[in-house]
Amino acid sequence: MSECMKKLPGVAVELIDKLLAELESGISEQQDDEEEQPDVVLQTHIMGVLSNLIFALDGSSDKIPNFIDRLQNLILVCNNFAQQLRERLYSDLENSLFFFNEYVDVPVISEEQYDALEAFKKFSQEATMEVVNSGKTDKLNSLQEKRHELDVNIDSMSENLRRMATLALHGTSGYGLYHALSKNCSEGRLINCFQFLTELLNNEHRGIRMISVEALSTLTSIQLEDETLKDNFIKKIHSVVQQISKRVKEENSSLYRKKADMIMLLAQLSIHVEDRLVRLGIIRMLISMWRDPDSEVRSTSIKMVQLMSENNIQEVAECFAANDDSETNLEKDDAKILVPNIMRHIATLINNVEFGEKEELFDLMKYTLNDHFSVSK
């Protein structure tokens, strides 16, 4: 396909432009008219074809940067629209709970919610009394109609939210893969892509965050295999690692499951970080999350220590060999950092009957110790 497109770049450009315009128009129409929603399967297929066509045309047209910018904007629009739908859906679900079930013992946390609940109770009582006193069902029918409208609205928004999330997922995958495999992408555009994908870690959708982590890992691994110097790109990686590390430390309790995706990225990027102080800091952070309230965060943090070991991050073996938490003098500015004794932390958690991730700890211990002793021999 790439050879065909190189022979007919004009036709290829026209086709890509047409597909992008179709997706842009479809998403715009969804925002204006939620009842007439394009087929998500068709839109997803178009997104996949579009990504393949852009990659095949890479290096054969000066229109590629413009197409990539439009694809990036398309992903952004999908995510923004999805967030708007998510907020409206939360609000309507909350209303459905307060308005339509007076017997549920729900927490009222604001004056607005209290007033809404009281208004519903009053209207419901009036509808019941109307039936008892006059046999009329006007108010009761109105109440049932309102329930039905809200149910239909919630179903419609839920489906639309699924569409936007699906398109964003496929778009992000293609966007990241293009930058990972492209041999004609400038360092500046690589940095822009890296920043854009990093910002997606704030997305509420777990799938979006996970595909972003995968894209970032693939991007750095493939692009840094090239012998071409990318000093600014490497600096960007270091900067993002430090920013995310700082954020996880400062916002630990409010990030919830987002932490799992952030530490997954930190572990995968650690292979590109030469600063020993930063790598040890990542290991300490991962170990601290072995006791996180969220089982997904605990499991991920254990697996990420093993991943760092598999990537031959020497500091992991050093932490296994440590006799106790101790300060290690580093040559850089006489800095000091605690080198954690991983075996002591593992032993403590394995002996805790309530700790549920013992299997992951055993896997980490077996892999790292076997690898360490095989290297020593």
Side-chain angles (χ1 to χ4, degrees):
M1 183 169 65
S2 180
E3 292 301 319
C4 291
M5 296 182 74
K6 288 177 181 177
K7 292 179 180 179
L8 297 169
V11 175
V13 167
E14 184 178 348
L15 177 58
I16 292 173
D17 182 69
K18 181 180 178 181
L19 292 176
L20 272 168
E22 185 174 344
L23 283 175
E24 291 164 344
S25 175
I27 293 173
S28 177
E29 288 175 2
Q30 281 183 278
Q31 296 186 59
D32 295 334
D33 186 357
E34 294 179 5
E35 294 184 1
E36 296 183 5
Q37 300 171 348
D39 185 355
V40 67
V41 176
L42 175 60
Q43 285 190 313
T44 302
H45 176 69
I46 292 174
M47 184 72 81
V49 171
L50 178 65
S51 300
N52 290 332
L53 290 176
I54 291 177
F55 179 71
L57 189 62
D58 188 39
S60 301
S61 173
D62 58 2
K63 297 289 186 180
I64 290 295
N66 174 259
F67 291 150
I68 291 298
D69 290 341
R70 288 171 67 183
L71 178 58
Q72 177 178 311
N73 184 65
L74 201 60
I75 298 168
L76 189 62
V77 170
C78 286
N79 283 326
N80 288 341
F81 187 31
Q83 183 57 28
Q84 293 172 17
L85 285 170
R86 198 173 286 116
E87 291 172 358
R88 289 165 56 190
L89 192 57
Y90 286 162
S91 176
D92 281 0
L93 286 171
E94 179 185 71
N95 288 341
S96 70
L97 175 65
F98 282 103
F99 287 176
F100 305 126
N101 197 337
E102 58 185 308
Y103 302 106
V104 174
D105 185 16
V106 291
V108 178
I109 60 175
S110 70
E111 184 176 346
E112 290 78 8
Q113 290 176 339
Y114 176 79
D115 291 341
L117 183 58
E118 289 300 307
F120 164 72
K121 287 181 178 179
K122 181 179 179 181
F123 189 80
S124 180
Q125 290 170 356
E126 290 175 353
T128 302
M129 291 303 298
E130 183 184 55
V131 173
V132 172
N133 294 331
S134 64
K136 295 182 179 179
T137 60
D138 294 348
K139 289 186 178 181
L140 185 62
N141 290 339
S142 175
L143 187 62
Q144 292 175 341
E145 183 179 346
K146 188 173 182 180
R147 289 180 180 178
H148 177 70
E149 289 176 357
L150 186 57
D151 288 341
V152 170
N153 191 39
I154 288 175
D155 290 342
S156 175
M157 283 194 291
S158 297
E159 177 62 19
N160 215 355
L161 177 58
R162 185 183 72 84
R163 293 168 183 270
M164 291 295 99
T166 301
L167 282 173
L169 278 167
H170 284 80
T172 302
S173 177
Y175 176 84
L177 192 59
Y178 165 79
H179 286 88
L181 299 177
S182 175
K183 296 181 180 179
N184 300 285
C185 194
S186 68
E187 186 177 26
R189 297 196 72 85
L190 286 178
I191 292 173
N192 176 70
C193 170
F194 193 87
Q195 180 63 35
F196 177 73
L197 291 173
T198 300
E199 290 172 357
L200 292 182
L201 291 176
N202 296 314
N203 198 284
E204 294 299 325
H205 194 289
R206 181 82 196 276
I208 297 290
R209 300 198 302 270
M210 293 183 70
I211 201 71
S212 300
V213 171
E214 181 181 343
L216 285 164
S217 177
T218 304
L219 169 65
T220 52
S221 298
I222 294 178
Q223 285 292 345
L224 292 180
E225 283 180 353
D226 189 348
E227 295 181 356
T228 305
L229 293 177
K230 298 184 177 71
D231 291 342
N232 291 328
F233 184 47
I234 294 174
K235 289 179 182 178
K236 179 64 177 178
I237 295 173
H238 290 190
S239 174
V240 166
V241 166
Q242 292 176 332
Q243 290 171 10
I244 294 178
S245 298
K246 181 180 179 182
R247 184 182 176 192
V248 171
K249 291 177 183 176
E250 295 179 350
E251 303 176 29
N252 189 296
S253 61
S254 61
L255 288 174
Y256 302 106
R257 189 156 291 188
K258 289 180 182 178
K259 286 182 292 188
D261 307 302
M262 291 180 176
I263 60 178
M264 189 182 299
L265 178 62
L266 289 176
Q268 294 185 21
L269 293 182
S270 63
I271 192 172
H272 306 295
V273 176
E274 296 180 357
D275 192 327
R276 168 177 158 80
L277 188 67
V278 174
R279 293 198 300 265
L280 279 169
I282 292 173
I283 296 171
R284 285 193 63 81
M285 178 187 298
L286 292 174
I287 294 174
S288 71
M289 292 191 182
W290 292 359
R291 294 171 172 82
D292 193 89
D294 189 331
S295 61
E296 181 69 17
V297 175
R298 295 196 300 270
S299 177
T300 301
S301 60
I302 297 170
K303 291 176 181 177
M304 289 305 102
V305 174
Q306 181 169 330
L307 178 66
M308 291 179 70
S309 180
E310 293 171 358
N311 287 336
N312 297 316
I313 302 297
Q314 185 59 38
E315 285 73 18
V316 177
E318 180 182 334
C319 292
F320 268 93
N323 293 323
D324 202 350
D325 285 354
S326 58
E327 287 190 344
T328 299
N329 289 313
L330 304 178
E331 295 181 1
K332 182 180 178 181
D333 301 325
D334 293 327
K336 293 183 178 181
I337 188 171
L338 287 174
V339 177
N341 181 345
I342 287 185
M343 288 302 297
R344 181 168 63 83
H345 288 281
I346 290 177
T348 300
L349 292 173
I350 287 178
N351 289 326
N352 183 347
V353 294
E354 297 181 354
F355 189 74
E357 286 69 38
K358 294 179 182 179
E359 185 176 346
E360 287 91 335
L361 286 177
F362 280 122
D363 289 342
L364 167 63
M365 186 167 55
K366 286 188 291 186
Y367 175 85
T368 306
L369 292 180
N370 289 340
D371 183 65
H372 175 68
F373 286 127
S374 65
V375 171
S376 299
K377 292 179 181 179

